[in-house]
Amino acid sequence: MSTPSVLESGLPEAASLSMRPASLVMDLERLGSLHQSRLSFMRSLVRRIMRERWQIEPQRFDLDADGYGTVIYRIRTRSDLFSFVLFSQYLAPEKRNDRVIASEWDLTMALCEGEVEDAYVDYLRRNVPLQEAGRLDAKVMVLSRANRSVRNFDSVVDALAHGRQPEIAQIAKVGYLYRTTAVYGSGKLGMADWEKVSRKHPDFARPFAAEMFTCFMLRNFSLQQAEFIARRRSPATAVALEPRLKRYFGIGNSTGLGMAPYLINHPQLISRWVEMRELALARILASAPVAAERLERLPQLVDRAIRHLEENFTEDEWQTGNNQRVLADLQALHEHLDRHPLQSWQPLLEWAQRHASLQGEELINCILLELHPDLVDELEDRLALPEQLELDPEMPVIRLKALIETSYDWALAIDFNADGAQETFWYRSEEKQEPRLGNCSLDEGREKQMPLGIGYLVQQCYQRITEYLAEHPQHKVARFLLRHPEQRGIVRRIQGMALTHYGEIRANLLDRDVLPMHLLRCKLSFFGVSKFDPRSRLWVRNTMFQGAPLLEDIGHPFDDDWFLPLAPTQEKS
Amino acid sequence: MLISANELTALLKRVFEGMGYTPGHYEDAAALVSWLQLHREDGLGELERALDLVADRDRQANELVAEGPATLIAECHGRSALNCLPILLELACVQALEQGSIRVEIQHCHNRKFILKLLADCARQGLWAQARWENGHDPVRRHVARIEAGAAYPTYREYRLPDHLPQANRQSLTLDLGTVAHPQPELEVGAAREERCVTPADFTLARQQALENGTEISPALWQRLNQLAEAVLVESSERSRSCAGGR
């Protein structure tokens, strides 16, 4: 009863090209070293918006002098129509909380199908500001909220009102006016299911496209709102943001543990994202000869990466150290390139593997992706897939055992009896079902833990299988599961994941010293964020869409070159 | 109130997990209920009526009573189909693929209507399938669902049996499975009167509408299920808040 794989990329070259092995790529620390690339969801969304010239205009802009009120944007794509509805309300500074358990926000917003009538806007006004405490319907695709940056918002408005551009040094430090703390989609709170969105609205049929678009709209609104308040405050002196500076503003994001279980609970999707990135890299390495203009552009991008990192600000000691190492890597690379001009990419990769840190090596890979849009960009359409872990009851148990030995050798190699190897457990708190980490010796609730310790579960399953085979060497999985029903979930996962190229993230997530930060960064890099600024090992601030085009840039020539954005130089007045 | 398919499935997973269903089982149970609900066959009503039965961690495990070359008899000891049918169907599929066809008798099993989703799974594996069970008292209704190999949806019929007809096997279900090389048995309805027929086209349309507009659930049941799902949550404390990935 073997099931045809829904997972294979459908690209025969994935089997013929030399791709990096899963043992290397799926290492947790490496996944936690990834950066934004051309394949990141924000990048492909912006390419689509600019290429297809989406028409995005405020249909209603009812704000008072302080910027509070209702705003509705109408979005006309090539074949569809959407509305982005935003409610701005006063929030006392002490209520600005980056946690999911907060209950009030400066901005709340919803992305909806089609036009929204007044009665529907009233319905949204009753529910959207409540976020998880409200209810929505299947016309709504995304729900989000955001808080003003205490460090930036007032000072930017103040500067504009006085006829000045804000200080670039300050913007380089905190590259946004608002920070979002949640972006919900995929049927949550009654919204449209992913299946509906992906089938009915091809514009948003790529992973997290509607969610990323919501953040893009939030970023544009934040800039329009700041200019609007400045104008109302001081009509005689106010100025608009200078376009290059305006583009340098992104939207902030604050991500906590909630993202971590997603990576474990959607392993086929994560495998596919990694596979497409690796396939892009493999294509680039296999392409020869390398055109001279690409070889010439490499040092320019290395320089840009150096400047970008120099402008990267974090108070976190660990991330500061990482950034410093990557800076040193890039400076060394620059010197190396001066002495050893390249003819192909292979020597570059070999240099990176030998000399660079993990984050440095992965940044060099992203630069390579940047140099080859022709080989990379089309893979963005292969990042979505129908997720389905299928049980194969017909498989002989002895084959299942062999499958574990080959695909999960990393899990069998973990010593779960070692000190601290089972000390962490992951659970859902009664507060908004927020995921949290517990310590087995200090916290209650281990019996309610989420089954995220895949390595441990696989090892337990392997032991049961070994015992069972001693008695029933000829049996099939259906009979094994009749005897051991508690193994049903992990057997299905093992069989399903065996069909993937990259499979599982290779780590013991139960270890005392597990770093959830790596999981967060992995997913965020696929989203396309930059400027990781960890606030602890459990959550991270970052910046979205920094350097991306603005609404007013749509319709003008677009060079997709907002990778590693740099602070513009300030004009002296 | 209207809820999404994803929301329904996610909530049901937590409900069943909270009842003690282990990984693999709570996803299956949630999928069975969602399938009926999203195809307008009242999965939530079926679940609500049987909530006391489905939390059956204290009931005896499924048992294979007899196995012949083309038959399988299973005793479910009053368990719900939600936690006993998937595993039995898988075994039956393995046997049918090996032998060409098989008849399965399942005894003392509640909520047998949930088999509809499993029939679609069998068809996806290249098997035709036919399930038959009887329910109710005066009148007794016979339920028959048939699906062709490779089809997405079954045809599901309800018949009314002649009044005062005694039910031979309470809470039992008969299932025939086979490969395309073996003919599907003719449907025997005898004196039964067809009261309802749901075609594959009806199932397709129901699913499309549920996805377009959401699916209806009573606020009271929504609240009850959410309360049941709280069993998976851990009480909050100041210490736990500090380990939540926030300030």
Side-chain angles (χ1 to χ4, degrees):
Chain A
M1 206 195 292
S2 55
T3 315
S5 167
V6 292
L7 300 171
E8 286 164 16
S9 59
L11 294 172
E13 60 175 316
S16 60
L17 279 176
S18 176
M19 289 162 70
R20 297 195 294 178
S23 56
L24 181 91
V25 176
M26 298 309 286
D27 171 71
L28 181 59
E29 195 182 345
R30 182 176 293 273
L31 291 172
S33 301
L34 299 182
H35 306 261
Q36 187 216 75
S37 80
R38 292 193 73 84
L39 273 181
S40 295
F41 309 149
M42 287 175 211
R43 296 288 300 281
S44 38
L45 173 72
V46 166
R47 282 198 294 271
R48 169 169 267 171
I49 291 170
M50 298 305 285
R51 187 175 62 237
E52 298 178 0
R53 300 185 171 212
W54 291 12
Q55 295 169 37
I56 304 173
E57 281 156 6
Q59 177 189 355
R60 176 173 167 183
F61 207 88
D62 290 343
L63 297 181
D64 66 16
D66 295 316
Y68 305 126
T70 301
V71 170
I72 302 171
Y73 290 89
R74 181 192 277 127
I75 299 112
R76 192 174 286 284
T77 68
R78 274 203 305 206
S79 56
D80 223 333
L81 184 69
F82 304 95
S83 296
F84 181 71
V85 182
L86 197 144
F87 302 106
S88 164
Q89 62 182 29
Y90 172 75
L91 181 71
E94 65 273 16
K95 287 193 169 175
R96 296 209 172 90
N97 186 342
D98 277 342
R99 291 276 304 284
V100 75
I101 58 170
S103 57
E104 289 180 65
W105 303 270
D106 288 294
L107 291 182
T108 54
M109 60 215 103
L111 177 66
C112 308
E113 293 180 306
E115 298 268 16
V116 284
E117 307 288 337
D118 288 348
Y120 194 73
V121 175
D122 289 341
Y123 159 78
L124 293 175
R125 189 178 290 109
R126 288 194 301 275
N127 288 282
V128 169
L130 300 177
Q131 298 283 295
E132 296 97 331
R135 289 296 303 171
L136 298 161
D137 64 19
K139 189 177 164 71
V140 181
M141 303 193 298
V142 181
L143 175 74
S144 184
R145 73 267 193 135
N147 286 336
R148 284 182 185 178
S149 161
V150 174
R151 296 177 284 183
N152 257 355
F153 194 87
D154 289 341
S155 66
V156 168
V157 170
D158 193 54
L160 295 179
H162 285 90
R164 289 183 279 109
Q165 294 298 314
E167 284 298 320
I168 285 176
Q170 170 65 15
I171 309 311
K173 204 168 175 185
V174 185
Y176 47 82
L177 296 172
Y178 277 90
R179 187 167 58 251
T180 177
T181 54
V183 188
Y184 295 119
S186 293
K188 291 194 180 62
L189 305 161
M191 287 184 280
D193 282 295
W194 161 248
E195 192 178 334
K196 171 181 173 176
V197 172
S198 59
R199 280 191 189 171
K200 190 177 173 188
H201 303 299
D203 298 311
F204 296 122
R206 292 178 186 150
F208 294 96
E211 288 88 340
M212 294 302 108
F213 181 69
T214 297
C215 297
F216 180 71
M217 290 302 298
L218 166 62
R219 178 237 196 184
N220 281 289
F221 170 77
S222 72
L223 297 163
Q224 291 185 335
Q225 187 197 33
E227 289 178 331
F228 173 87
I229 298 171
R231 273 199 309 275
R232 290 290 297 269
R233 193 173 291 174
S234 185
T237 57
V239 291
L241 279 163
E242 197 269 316
R244 287 182 314 141
L245 180 58
K246 201 170 176 180
R247 280 184 210 104
Y248 188 57
F249 279 92
I251 201 73
N253 173 260
S254 201
T255 291
L257 276 185
M259 229 176 229
Y262 185 94
L263 273 85
I264 309 304
N265 292 330
H266 297 269
Q268 294 166 312
L269 195 60
I270 303 306
S271 172
R272 171 62 70 86
W273 296 353
V274 172
E275 182 192 345
M276 289 304 106
R277 187 179 183 280
E278 293 302 314
L279 182 56
L281 198 57
R283 281 180 172 184
I284 291 166
L285 289 179
S287 66
V290 179
E293 64 269 23
R294 285 183 173 143
L295 291 167
E296 282 164 22
R297 191 162 173 241
L298 172 70
Q300 295 165 15
L301 283 180
V302 172
D303 277 348
R304 189 196 291 185
I306 290 171
R307 275 191 60 202
H308 176 83
L309 277 162
E310 285 169 346
E311 290 170 2
N312 207 335
F313 175 79
T314 171
E315 287 171 0
D316 181 71
E317 207 176 309
W318 178 71
Q319 187 61 45
T320 301
N322 285 332
N323 291 349
Q324 290 302 322
R325 274 191 294 278
V326 179
L327 257 180
D329 293 339
L330 294 174
Q331 278 153 354
L333 174 60
H334 204 288
E335 288 164 20
H336 175 79
L337 291 174
D338 285 345
R339 290 195 306 271
H340 305 94
L342 292 173
Q343 300 301 316
S344 73
W345 297 134
Q346 195 58 46
L348 174 68
L349 267 284
E350 284 162 13
W351 182 91
Q353 281 161 12
R354 276 204 305 276
H355 300 289
S357 63
L358 275 184
Q359 291 195 16
E361 188 184 343
E362 293 306 331
L363 184 54
I364 291 166
N365 288 339
C366 289
I367 290 174
L368 276 186
L369 264 54
E370 207 60 34
L371 291 168
H372 290 274
D374 52 324
L375 298 176
V376 175
D377 292 359
E378 57 129 353
L379 294 172
E380 68 195 6
D381 283 325
R382 296 181 182 273
L383 290 165
L385 80 166
E387 293 178 278
Q388 210 169 14
L389 285 172
E390 293 273 1
L391 191 78
D392 178 2
E394 241 200 321
M395 179 185 279
V397 180
I398 198 157
R399 225 183 102 213
L400 177 63
K401 182 170 181 273
L403 201 60
I404 295 175
E405 286 162 356
T406 50
S407 298
Y408 287 87
D409 52 339
W410 61 273
L412 297 182
I414 298 172
D415 178 6
F416 285 102
N417 294 317
D419 182 38
Q422 293 184 60
E423 196 165 310
T424 294
F425 69 97
W426 299 66
Y427 66 92
R428 288 158 290 206
S429 163
E430 62 181 12
E431 280 181 312
K432 286 194 179 181
Q433 298 178 24
E434 183 179 60
R436 292 181 181 173
L437 284 189
N439 181 300
C440 290
S441 53
L442 300 173
D443 297 303
E444 300 292 320
R446 187 184 188 183
E447 71 287 355
K448 295 182 179 182
Q449 67 177 304
M450 291 184 273
L452 301 185
I454 300 304
Y456 180 74
L457 295 171
V458 168
Q459 208 177 91
Q460 293 289 303
C461 180
Y462 185 78
Q463 283 170 15
R464 297 291 90 74
I465 287 172
T466 307
E467 291 155 12
Y468 187 84
L469 276 173
E471 275 181 66
H472 306 290
Q474 306 299 328
H475 272 191
K476 293 187 171 175
V477 162
R479 287 194 185 271
F480 170 72
L481 290 178
L482 210 56
R483 168 83 72 85
H484 290 290
E486 79 287 354
Q487 301 297 329
R488 186 174 182 78
I490 195 66
V491 167
R492 176 150 58 203
R493 183 171 180 120
I494 292 164
Q495 291 180 322
M497 291 311 292
L499 301 170
T500 63
H501 278 276
Y502 284 102
E504 303 279 5
I505 293 172
R506 299 181 175 212
N508 174 17
L509 297 188
L510 310 182
D511 195 90
R512 179 198 296 151
D513 298 323
V514 66
L515 271 181
M517 178 60 58
H518 293 320
L519 294 169
L520 308 187
R521 175 155 173 170
C522 171
K523 191 173 174 201
L524 288 166
S525 73
F526 280 103
F527 282 4
V529 313
S530 54
K531 300 202 168 164
F532 294 94
D533 180 15
R535 309 301 291 169
S536 78
R537 71 186 183 118
L538 305 175
W539 72 296
V540 61
R541 282 183 184 171
N542 52 81
T543 309
M544 310 168 82
F545 290 107
Q546 195 170 23
L550 304 162
L551 290 187
E552 49 266 42
D553 293 324
I554 300 174
H556 297 288
F558 170 63
D559 181 12
D560 180 11
D561 192 26
W562 56 285
F563 177 59
L564 304 171
L566 301 179
T569 46
Q570 198 137 27
E571 305 274 335
K572 297 289 176 199
S573 54
Chain B
M1 60 185 285
L2 288 168
I3 59 173
S4 73
N6 187 24
E7 197 174 21
L8 174 65
T9 308
L11 173 62
L12 289 168
K13 278 187 204 170
R14 293 199 303 276
V15 167
F16 291 117
E17 187 185 351
M19 286 178 181
Y21 285 38
T22 53
H25 294 272
Y26 59 73
E27 294 96 331
D28 287 340
L32 293 183
V33 179
S34 298
W35 195 97
L36 280 196
Q37 185 65 23
L38 297 173
H39 292 90
R40 218 182 290 141
E41 285 299 320
D42 196 24
L44 286 169
E46 189 79 16
L47 174 66
E48 189 175 21
R49 286 188 289 279
L51 264 177
D52 296 333
L53 287 170
V54 298
D56 50 10
R57 68 182 93 186
D58 296 331
R59 284 196 179 80
Q60 218 175 315
N62 290 332
E63 213 177 332
L64 282 182
V65 178
E67 270 187 87
T71 57
L72 203 61
I73 302 176
E75 170 59 55
C76 294
H77 298 292
R79 285 180 164 268
S80 166
L82 291 172
N83 63 33
C84 65
L85 277 193
I87 209 158
L88 290 174
L89 262 283
E90 279 154 19
L91 188 61
C93 282
V94 170
Q95 304 279 79
L97 287 164
E98 275 178 8
Q99 299 159 12
S101 68
I102 192 168
R103 168 159 289 194
V104 187
E105 298 287 346
I106 294 169
Q107 298 168 350
H108 301 107
C109 169
H110 291 278
N111 318 128
R112 290 155 293 164
K113 189 176 175 183
F114 286 120
I115 200 167
L116 291 180
K117 189 256 179 193
L118 296 171
L119 296 183
D121 292 345
C122 293
R124 214 150 33 88
Q125 311 299 339
L127 296 166
W128 54 257
Q130 178 175 306
R132 196 174 71 239
W133 68 98
E134 288 168 10
N135 216 1
H137 305 273
D138 289 336
V140 175
R141 284 191 169 78
R142 177 171 294 162
H143 302 253
V144 180
R146 295 159 65 96
I147 192 165
E148 301 300 324
Y153 289 114
T155 299
Y156 170 49
R157 289 187 167 89
E158 280 184 50
Y159 299 89
R160 179 178 169 141
L161 298 186
D163 291 349
H164 312 303
L165 190 77
Q167 266 184 285
N169 296 307
R170 296 278 301 155
Q171 304 301 336
S172 70
L173 179 145
T174 304
L175 176 72
D176 290 292
L177 292 172
T179 60
V180 283
H182 286 70
Q184 192 169 163
E186 288 300 313
L187 189 62
E188 296 168 19
V189 291
R193 179 160 53 84
E194 183 176 307
E195 285 191 328
R196 183 165 177 259
C197 175
V198 187
T199 66
D202 297 328
F203 282 119
T204 305
L205 182 64
R207 166 103 188 145
Q208 284 168 354
Q209 288 179 342
L211 273 179
E212 179 60 32
N213 304 316
T215 188
E216 192 67 39
I217 183 172
S218 80
L221 179 58
W222 174 251
Q223 195 180 355
R224 191 175 173 199
L225 292 176
N226 271 289
Q227 282 164 354
L228 287 169
E230 284 171 11
V232 305
L233 304 178
V234 175
E235 197 179 340
S236 199
S237 66
E238 271 311 309
R239 213 197 100 75
S240 73
R241 277 185 202 107
S242 71
C243 296
R247 277 185 231 265

